[in-house]
Amino acid sequence: MSNNTDTDDGPPDTEAEETASEPGHSEEVADGETGDRPHNDHEEQPDADESGDHADDGEEVWPPTGPDHDGPTIADEDAFDSDPTTDRTRGNEPAETEGTAGTIEELGSDVEVSAPVADDPDEDDLLGGLLIDSTEDVEIPDRLVDQVIGQEHARDVIIKAARQRRHVMMIGSPGTGKSMLAKAMTELLPKEELQDVLIYHNPDDGNKPKVRTVPAGKGEQIVDAHKEEARKRDQMRTFLMWIIIAVVLGYALIIAGQILLGILAAGIVYLAFRYASRGGDAMIPNLLVNNNDTTSAPFRDATGAHAGALLGDVRHDPFQSGGMETPSHDRVEAGAIHKANKGVLFVDEINTLDIRSQQKLMTAIQEGEFSITGQSERSSGAMVQTEPVPTDFIMIAAGNLDAMENMHPALRSRIKGYGYEVYMDDTIDDTLEMRQKYVRFVAQEVANDGRLPPFDAEAIEEVVLEARRRAGRKGQLTLHFRDLGGLVRVAGDIARAEDTEYTTREHVLQAKERSRSIEQQLADEFIEKRKDYELQVSDGYEVGRVNGLAVMGEDSGIMLPVMAEITPTQSGGQVIATGQLQEMAEESVQNVSAIIKKFSDENISEKDIHIQFVQTGQQGVDGDSASITVATAVISALEGVGVSQDLAMTGSLSVRGDVLPVGGVTHKIEAAAKAGCKRVIIPQANEQDVMIEDEYEDMVEIIPVSHISEVLDVALEGEAETDSLVARLKNITGSALQDGSVAGPSSPSPQ
């Protein structure tokens, strides 16, 4: 189907064709009409002469003209705007490549912070060398695109996608800036001539409304002109109606002497005129997409949108006959894909869209146009289908890692084939320049909120320290700005409640306590309850019982005791683990059993090894960070040697006995300190990731280890027995402690 929708299906107009050949007429049409219609790359375009005649012919057809049509033609509508410059609204002029490229290069992290900087700043300065007293001294960029911080790779992709009009899929953790980058893209897009979309009644088939595109701003003029014309027609008909009624009543009263008959006749005339005037409403077009006040490329967020909101819909009409029906073109509603024409369509959690919507979205991306029809089969709107409406948008799809699982393969192929896939970083290098950006981030949050007191220098330093801590890795800063911004707002709210001039470090510390996650609050409650019921032991020695450590959510730790018991077997030795273990945790128990079998002098085929994760709840246990805990508990039970209860531990374990790094060590150490433990064993590879709060530093001793023999040396009771076990384990595993090497990956494993 041709995209020149206002030329289709109209009757030929010989007079119009003759007019098109007149000097200057075809040129006027080309400027005002032909260039404003959506373009389809797959169509064969007519040559210049033919396109001029064809477009002119279309002008006289839609809206339909003829002896029975007393409304303005499309050619007349173009005359509503006598100033040719109004074909382009503010901000819609064609972009100049050089100027646009210059502004794009200044995106986000490339924009320097506007504040005084020390000549020779200290590398450890939390403010990055900025000489400021508060956030009031930091200038905030006006453009959203300049406020982007971090995500260097994603930033570069967005730049390229904006220049080349490519689709982008961004996958990453929540709160890492996906939606902000999508909004920033609208400021980078080349400024184009935005379009208004009009829907016209189709006199040949009322269920197939006609579509016409015009330059932005002209749509309102055309609709207003049609309304004015309809008002004039209505006034003329009303005037004529009252004249006829007066004549009828006069004739009935004066000549015929039948007043009742005259009143009846006047009523019939009144109803007839009112019924006839309803047809005039069908001539007023429906302004489907109005970009009159749009000064930049449109941005539409279709996250979680149902089919009608995304793809457009046609409202149900309960009165479908008897002259009370609403014309079908007046019931058409634009979807997000149509409103995003020439702009950006952002869909977060793309996998939440049903498959049918994803298929239709794929069609809109591929064809650049999409017809609107009723989404409900039980609605009268299901019988209506418009001509294709332009959908020339850039698609920005976003989601977490699981988003790709339920995403339609063909839709992902469209995005990948015509664009980019980006994984969002969770952390960024902790440098002086980046700390300056974080200072600006705090200033941005204060300015954007508009109700928070400015942050003083010490408060900003505490926020930067929290960014380090939440990164979970040494030399890194977190890029989870949404959560960090929540901390800024809570601290500001506390300062405002106290009616202070500035938000201070003390307010930030209070905010950290008040803004704890649900998981952290639950973990703290569990710790207190276990203390009350003496389920938590933090002194003495016990055989087969070890204090393990786990994480809840992303920012909270909890102490998780593990118990082991050895019993005679009745059907061959086996390892039995309980406590709602997930797949990865079960596999870690199997890995530990390999070390146990190799370590033990006894025939464990005649014994059952029972391992219990105490009070794990319905969530169960996942991950392999309890491997050294399980190994220590089982070895303690086999040998009958007690384990120190003022000690907690975390770490993964290879089948050769090497202790491997895990995640969340900071939160785990703090959980152990809260529970009353005085020592914590962690993998040596995680030593650099420890960034505990100052209040916990004097409460616990951190012991890094690289081998299970080191764990046993620290954890088990009695020097003679321990030395014998450790020596035997070293010989069996064949791993020497002197080389200090740790097998396995260098980065923490997921929990």
Side-chain angles (χ1 to χ4, degrees):
M1 180 179 289
S2 171
N3 285 328
N4 297 332
T5 54
D6 44 341
T7 66
D8 294 338
D9 305 324
D13 193 332
T14 306
E15 186 177 8
E17 293 175 357
E18 294 174 355
T19 309
S21 62
E22 295 176 6
H25 186 79
S26 60
E27 180 179 351
E28 178 186 353
V29 172
D31 291 338
E33 300 301 322
T34 308
D36 301 324
R37 299 186 178 111
H39 175 68
N40 191 333
D41 293 334
H42 302 292
E43 276 190 310
E44 181 179 353
Q45 301 298 321
D47 58 39
D49 294 334
E50 292 175 352
S51 65
D53 293 342
H54 188 59
D56 190 63
D57 178 48
E59 286 183 348
E60 300 297 333
V61 175
W62 293 110
T65 60
D68 297 331
H69 174 65
D70 45 359
T73 64
I74 289 183
D76 296 330
E77 292 161 3
D78 292 335
F80 296 149
D81 188 358
S82 58
D83 185 0
T85 62
T86 58
D87 283 358
R88 295 172 182 168
T89 58
R90 290 177 303 154
N92 298 331
E93 295 81 16
E96 295 184 8
T97 305
E98 295 181 1
T100 303
T103 58
I104 287 179
E105 292 298 341
E106 297 176 354
L107 170 63
S109 293
D110 290 343
V111 179
E112 296 183 357
V113 178
S114 298
V117 184
D119 294 334
D120 187 19
D122 186 352
E123 285 295 327
D124 296 328
D125 186 3
L126 292 173
L127 299 181
L130 294 180
L131 303 176
I132 59 172
D133 295 323
S134 71
T135 52
E136 293 177 311
D137 300 330
V138 181
E139 184 177 343
I140 308 300
D142 294 329
R143 300 188 307 171
L144 178 65
V145 66
D146 295 331
Q147 297 180 17
V148 178
I149 298 174
Q151 304 297 355
E152 302 295 336
H153 175 57
R155 175 179 63 87
D156 293 340
V157 168
I158 289 294
I159 292 174
K160 295 174 183 176
R163 286 175 174 169
Q164 304 298 330
R165 295 190 64 83
R166 306 296 188 199
H167 305 297
V168 180
M169 182 167 72
M170 295 185 288
I171 299 297
S173 303
T176 51
K178 298 186 288 291
S179 59
M180 188 175 184
L181 281 169
K183 290 179 182 177
M185 193 180 201
T186 61
E187 299 177 354
L188 301 175
L189 285 175
K191 296 177 180 178
E192 300 192 38
E193 292 188 4
L194 299 181
Q195 297 174 329
D196 291 343
V197 179
L198 295 163
I199 305 293
Y200 284 90
H201 172 65
N202 186 346
D204 297 332
D205 188 346
N207 287 329
K208 294 183 179 180
K210 292 289 182 177
V211 175
R212 180 190 175 209
T213 59
V214 295
K218 269 199 168 184
E220 283 190 353
Q221 299 176 23
I222 294 173
V223 171
D224 291 343
H226 275 281
K227 288 181 178 178
E228 179 65 20
E229 194 70 23
R231 187 184 64 81
K232 291 179 180 179
R233 287 197 304 267
D234 189 58
Q235 287 180 342
M236 183 63 67
R237 287 172 179 169
T238 301
F239 179 71
L240 180 61
M241 178 189 70
W242 287 115
I243 291 179
I244 295 176
I245 289 176
V247 170
V248 169
L249 289 176
Y251 178 82
L253 181 62
I254 299 173
I255 300 177
Q258 298 289 333
I259 183 62
L260 292 178
L261 183 61
I263 293 175
L264 180 61
I268 294 173
V269 170
Y270 178 83
L271 292 175
F273 268 88
R274 285 300 177 190
Y275 184 83
S277 65
R278 289 184 56 82
D281 295 339
M283 301 310 302
I284 301 177
N286 175 16
L287 184 55
L288 189 70
V289 178
N290 184 7
N291 284 313
N292 183 45
D293 297 327
T294 305
T295 58
S296 61
F299 174 84
R300 297 293 174 181
D301 189 344
T303 301
H306 59 79
L310 178 66
L311 306 170
D313 203 351
V314 181
R315 299 192 306 273
H316 174 65
D317 182 15
F319 306 104
Q320 302 178 37
S321 61
M324 301 179 67
E325 69 276 4
T326 302
S328 59
H329 75 284
D330 270 344
R331 295 185 281 121
V332 176
E333 299 287 345
I337 61 174
H338 308 107
K339 295 177 182 178
N341 185 42
K342 302 298 182 183
V344 174
L345 178 70
F346 177 66
V347 184
D348 201 358
E349 305 299 339
I350 184 70
N351 56 313
T352 60
L353 288 179
D354 61 70
I355 295 299
R356 182 184 175 195
S357 294
Q358 292 189 44
Q359 289 174 330
K360 293 186 176 181
L361 181 60
M362 176 178 60
T363 302
I365 292 174
Q366 182 72 16
E367 301 298 332
E369 58 183 17
F370 193 82
S371 299
I372 300 176
T373 187
Q375 299 300 326
S376 174
E377 295 180 355
R378 298 182 179 181
S379 167
S380 61
M383 299 180 62
V384 179
Q385 183 172 9
T386 69
E387 290 182 340
V389 180
T391 57
D392 183 18
F393 56 80
I394 293 179
M395 170 85 169
I396 304 291
N400 302 327
L401 282 173
D402 61 351
M404 295 181 290
E405 296 178 6
N406 298 324
M407 188 175 179
H408 197 292
L411 176 59
R412 184 181 177 189
S413 175
R414 292 287 190 281
I415 297 175
K416 190 174 182 179
Y418 299 99
Y420 302 89
E421 291 186 342
V422 181
Y423 181 74
M424 305 293 287
D425 296 327
D426 289 319
T427 61
I428 195 168
D429 291 339
D430 182 6
T431 63
L432 279 174
E433 292 76 13
M434 192 50 60
R435 275 175 246 148
Q436 293 176 5
K437 304 296 192 314
Y438 274 69
V439 173
R440 192 186 73 196
F441 163 75
V442 177
Q444 288 173 186
E445 292 299 308
V446 173
N448 292 337
D449 188 275
R451 298 182 295 264
L452 305 180
F455 278 53
D456 65 19
E458 289 187 352
I460 299 173
E461 290 176 349
E462 190 61 37
V463 173
V464 176
L465 279 174
E466 183 65 13
R468 282 180 174 175
R469 181 173 177 272
R470 295 189 180 190
R473 295 170 55 197
K474 195 172 184 66
Q476 297 285 302
L477 293 168
T478 182
L479 288 175
H480 290 231
F481 287 114
R482 184 180 299 149
D483 295 340
L484 202 61
L487 176 66
V488 171
R489 284 182 283 276
V490 173
D493 289 344
I494 295 172
R496 189 184 181 194
E498 296 179 1
D499 197 23
T500 59
E501 183 179 1
Y502 291 97
T503 304
T504 65
R505 179 177 181 271
E506 183 61 30
H507 294 137
V508 178
L509 294 176
Q510 292 181 41
K512 289 167 68 173
E513 176 65 22
R514 295 189 186 183
S515 62
R516 292 177 303 158
S517 65
I518 296 295
E519 291 85 357
Q520 184 62 58
Q521 295 177 48
L522 287 173
D524 292 344
E525 184 178 352
F526 288 160
I527 291 173
E528 292 302 318
K529 285 183 178 180
R530 287 175 176 175
K531 285 181 179 179
D532 293 340
Y533 292 99
E534 298 183 355
L535 294 174
Q536 207 146 276
V537 182
S538 57
D539 56 8
Y541 291 86
E542 287 196 21
V543 175
R545 186 188 190 281
V546 181
N547 292 320
L549 295 169
V551 291
M552 294 179 63
E554 296 181 354
D555 61 351
S556 59
I558 188 171
M559 196 159 77
L560 189 67
V562 175
M563 296 185 180
E565 187 67 42
I566 309 299
T567 62
T569 185
Q570 296 181 355
S571 58
Q574 56 183 329
V575 177
I576 303 170
T578 59
Q580 295 282 355
L581 272 64
Q582 306 297 321
E583 183 177 355
M584 186 178 293
E586 289 182 351
E587 291 178 353
S588 70
V589 171
Q590 297 300 321
N591 291 339
V592 169
S593 67
I595 297 177
I596 304 303
K597 292 173 183 177
K598 195 170 185 179
F599 160 79
S600 179
D601 288 337
E602 302 182 26
N603 183 10
I604 63 174
S605 63
E606 300 177 356
K607 303 181 187 308
D608 286 338
I609 301 176
H610 294 264
I611 303 169
Q612 180 188 11
F613 289 77
V614 180
Q615 289 193 324
T616 58
Q618 296 181 351
Q619 298 295 330
V621 179
D622 198 7
D624 61 350
S625 65
S627 297
I628 65 170
T629 307
V630 172
T632 304
V634 173
I635 292 173
S636 169
L638 278 172
E639 299 295 330
V641 181
V643 178
S644 175
Q645 297 302 299
D646 70 347
L647 175 74
M649 61 182 69
T650 182
S652 182
L653 195 62
S654 74
V655 293
R656 292 179 57 87
D658 299 307
V659 178
L660 308 179
V662 295
V665 289
T666 296
H667 304 300
K668 293 175 180 178
I669 294 171
E670 292 178 352
K674 292 177 183 178
C677 291
K678 297 179 175 57
R679 297 179 295 164
V680 179
I681 292 177
I682 66 170
Q684 192 172 53
N686 285 126
E687 187 176 8
Q688 62 178 356
D689 300 329
V690 177
M691 287 172 284
I692 61 176
E693 298 279 6
D694 295 341
E695 60 184 297
Y696 301 117
E697 288 185 354
D698 297 331
M699 296 174 62
V700 293
E701 176 189 357
I702 300 172
I703 305 172
V705 298
S706 59
H707 193 269
I708 186 61
S709 58
E710 294 180 72
V711 178
L712 299 178
D713 193 18
V714 174
L716 298 183
E717 178 184 13
E719 294 184 3
E721 293 86 347
T722 301
D723 291 343
S724 174
L725 290 172
V726 171
R728 191 177 350 145
L729 193 59
K730 285 181 183 179
N731 293 332
I732 292 174
T733 58
S735 180
L737 295 177
Q738 286 77 11
D739 59 8
S741 62
V742 179
S746 59
S747 60
S749 61
Q751 298 304 296

